[in-house]
Amino acid sequence: MDYASLSANLLFVSFIAYLAGTFFFGGAVKSSKTEKSYKDSMWGKIGIVITIIGFVSQLGYFITRWMASGHAPVSNMFEFTTAFSMMLVGAFILIFFIYKTPSLGLFALPIAIVIIAYASMFPREITPLIPALKSYWLTVHVITAAIGESILAISAVAGLIFLAKNIDLTKKSKERFWLEAVMFTIVLVLGFVVSSTAFSLSGYEADFNYIDKNEQPAKITYNYPPLFGMHDYEQVTTDTMKPWFEMPSIVNAKTLTTFVWSVASGIVLYLLLRLIFRRPIAALLQPFAKKANSQLMDEIGYRSVLIGFPVFTLGALIFAMIWAQEAWSRFWGWDPKEVWALITWLFYAAFLHLRLSQGWEGKKSAWLAVAGFVIIMFNLIAVNLIIAGLHSYA
Amino acid sequence: MSKIKCQCGHENPFGTVLCEKCGRPLTEEAKDSSMVDMRYEGSARRSQTYKKSIIDKIWNFFSSVKIGVSIIIAVLSTSALGTILPQKFYVPVNGNDPNAYLDYYERLYGTFGKIYYHLGLYDMYNSWWFKILIGMLGTSIIIASLDRVIPLYKSLKKQRTKRHPSFMKRQRIYGEEPVVNPDESLVNAEKALKDMHYNVKTEDGAILAEKNRFGRWGPYVNHTGLIIFLLGVLMRGLPGFYVDETMWIREGETREIPGAPGYLLENVAFTVETYDKESADAVFGEALDKNGAIVSNFQSDVKLYKEKENSLPGSEDVEFIKEYPIVVNKPLKFDGYSIFQMDYKTGELSKMKFALLNKETQKSLGEFTVDLNEPAKKYDLGSGSSIQLMEYYADYDGIVDGEPVSKSPVPNNPAFIFNMITPEHPEGEKSFVAIQQTLEVEPNDYEVKFQSVESRNASGLTIRKDKTLYILLLGGIVFMIGVIQGSYWQHRRIWIQKGEGSEMMVAAHTNKNWYSLKKDIDKVKETAALPAYTDKQDKDTAADTMEGETV
């Protein structure tokens, strides 16, 4: 087996291991009465062993793909997002060994699984590096930034557990609404994965010619039935559906189509789940969060920001500036990706100051941690795919 | 302002909340609370003490963390606005004509683009209000740090080992209980704490164990780093500190480097290379099939020269310095300057070859080559024939008011008016020659016929000099040291003392990471008999214990 296919298999193994790990952490939480007693539960021990196996396998994916391509596998959307999920699991393992809390695994692993699934929807072939990426700073900057982001993400996982435990879901409230909104967003990502997989399995393709925003003719292939047509489009494949609307040239109608399909399938999925369980998703998760110690979750939430913030600063700002100086002749150019890294950094700086001096602990701190994760995901997804800049992977 | 004298005899500065020495609460508020605010050790901060004059008010405004956080939020939300549409410097509009920009935003983004332009958001990071926000952030960092670090330093320096029970009781972690042998407990606790690398001090039946106090200075160190960074950014405005120029240079040309007086650059060759299926690694096959060719390299091979000292500007008297291939990510560096590969043009016309033909017989009287960038006035073909170049239009753009016009000096579409001198026509015959087009005033016997063309590439280079880089880097390093110092080391203190009879008290404080602090106390309890303690903020554990579960 060559490195490239070995790499793909190892990734699959880790995906399965994380699923199994989630199951065992669930068992650990279910079988113990309180947070104190589940620390030493057998289920939890098996859970962490399986998680480590999965992590090592994913690390194997990373290394073999690196060997196959000759560069660090962080050069496109699939590679970066997969690496991010790997580091998220790594950060979880680190925090687990400090605090020994299975409920963190029960929530962190499914998030890693969703992220891997999301990553796999992007082109997975190994691409050679374009001139701008040919630098060892690619390895240094991207990996450090991803490690920082993944540790910060653990803070959001702990925050989510804190909120799932402490928000009263029996009464109508803003908090209850927003917690359910977070769950809904995760279901939307699943909607994207489900619809994208379905259409790619069916081999759906619709080709168009169109006029781009520089008034040049261009070609595009849709993998979803085209709800929206590109500017001045001309249908090449004739047996596919005709777009409902034509978009102006600044809108990427293909991205919009994918987005609408994902949201639609996410909504259907969400409604199905509600119909089956007859309860909000947050209420389904609440029993699993109940055993966690609120104070410990609050501490983990804070501690992971403390550990992650310096790493993020180093990777996403300092190394980024050094590379930008080498490659683009300026260390800072207000490129959207740069700005959003700065926004993320400022946000966590605000988090730390609010916590330290305004006493924002508990729920407030947990909400901030979740919001921080939303910003990180926004920078990964929206800034790459919608706001195109120098960093665009799309 | 008068000093506050504590019952223990220590004189505290006006505004102190907790006695610097023994920790007794000094204000009514502190006396009434069950847990004291330990953030700055209850020390007297200027901002909390003086509130009268205008300077006090400005000081107090900027020293407030609430204001600081508000400024951070303002910077981050306005920054986000600037990413909605591309900023001015990423927009393909040449020159500085405001209307051209307005047109661009309106054409692509409609009314929204127009509003975006008129609000100034298209160039917001250079706007006065954004700069003011950053300035306020810097001021806030300086004042808020000074307001806290000095009193904090003083009170940590003055703290006494033995604290008053009222201080102990008001700590988040506190416990009191009678133990069998208090003195033995103290000795054992001291040993256990020393084993855990605590700095232990004893005084009259009391222990103060302290660890990692330097972590407390982390925030102030990282704030210093940020200030150095911001100062570095300010210094770019000073003359000579910062050069940012661009140049276009064609293959074969030697030009003076803008912004770097005395230096010349020769462009030997510019090349673009791509990955193709034959030469690239087989592993990339799928990607190349899908995406077509992918560029692998942009490269300008250049030679750098320096004018010799005492030579006149523009003279040929130059000294060769070095030869270097500039590629993306590997700029040419010399004397503080860096030259970057940023852009390129391929296939720019450079030379055109023509033949002078007799129209009837198609017999050639000779060939000549016009250098499109420096065309000669006259081309001698021998045996009495020659060509005079009467007019040259490098970028011919049609005829306006009966005259041919050129829209730029770049030879994109060259056109010529030739005067063909032959033995038959010593005065010459005039002919207008452009690509695919020949115009004659009256029928000529001879024609100038296009034979072939040579083209060449041009490199777009950026020249930078930035003396502030080292200052910025220093700021970054100082920031990292501070942020690591403050985040990875926590200042922990454990107080143990004897009370009445066999009573013992234990209290503890840390600025962060209470979990590990509790683990430390539990470790001490393994070898020393200490009272059980409670964490006043951990309600779940209390609830678990109430339910009767023990581990």
Side-chain angles (χ1 to χ4, degrees), chain A residues 98-155:
Chain A
I98 305 179
Y99 294 102
K100 306 267 171 15
T101 163
S103 38
L104 193 68
L106 181 60
F107 283 76
L109 289 184
I111 291 176
I113 292 168
V114 171
I115 294 175
I116 297 179
Y118 174 79
S120 313
M121 298 304 113
F122 292 90
R124 269 171 291 175
E125 67 269 2
I126 297 177
T127 35
L129 288 183
I130 57 167
L133 295 182
K134 281 188 177 173
S135 165
Y136 57 83
W137 286 107
L138 170 72
T139 316
V140 177
H141 153 63
V142 183
I143 290 179
T144 319
I147 292 176
E149 286 183 349
S150 62
I151 304 173
L152 292 173
I154 291 293
S155 152

Side-chain angles (χ1 to χ4, degrees), chain A residues 34 129 134 294 299 307 356, chain B residues 39 275 296 488 513 540 549:
Chain A
T34 64
L129 288 183
K134 281 188 177 173
S294 307
E299 169 114 15
I307 300 175
L356 240 85
Chain B
R39 264 177 292 138
Y275 296 101
S296 68
Y488 298 167
N513 195 1
D540 285 5
E549 200 197 13

Side-chain angles (χ1 to χ4, degrees), chain B residues 128-144:
Chain B
W128 58 269
W129 54 267
F130 192 73
K131 284 177 184 160
I132 286 180
L133 270 181
I134 302 288
M136 285 173 71
L137 188 61
T139 315
S140 164
I141 290 171
I142 296 174
I143 293 184

Side-chain angles (χ1 to χ4, degrees), chain A residues 34 125 129 132 134 165 250 293-295 299 303 307 323 325-327 329-330 333 340 356-357 361, chain B residues 39 65 83 90 108 125 172 275 290 296 329 333 340 488 512-515 535 537 540-541 549:
Chain A
T34 64
E125 67 269 2
L129 288 183
K134 281 188 177 173
K165 173 171 175 169
I250 53 152
N293 178 308
S294 307
Q295 229 255 298
E299 169 114 15
R303 190 88 193 278
I307 300 175
W323 188 15
Q325 182 69 37
E326 287 290 308
S329 82
R330 83 288 180 290
W340 278 94
L356 240 85
S357 98
E361 296 183 4
Chain B
R39 264 177 292 138
V65 172
T83 62
Y90 289 119
L108 281 178
Y125 303 112
R172 175 172 156 182
Y275 296 101
K290 211 161 146 183
S296 68
N329 275 312
K333 292 182 179 170
F340 298 86
Y488 298 167
K512 42 189 79 122
N513 195 1
W514 293 80
Y515 178 82
D535 176 349
Q537 278 194 8
D540 285 5
T541 304
E549 200 197 13

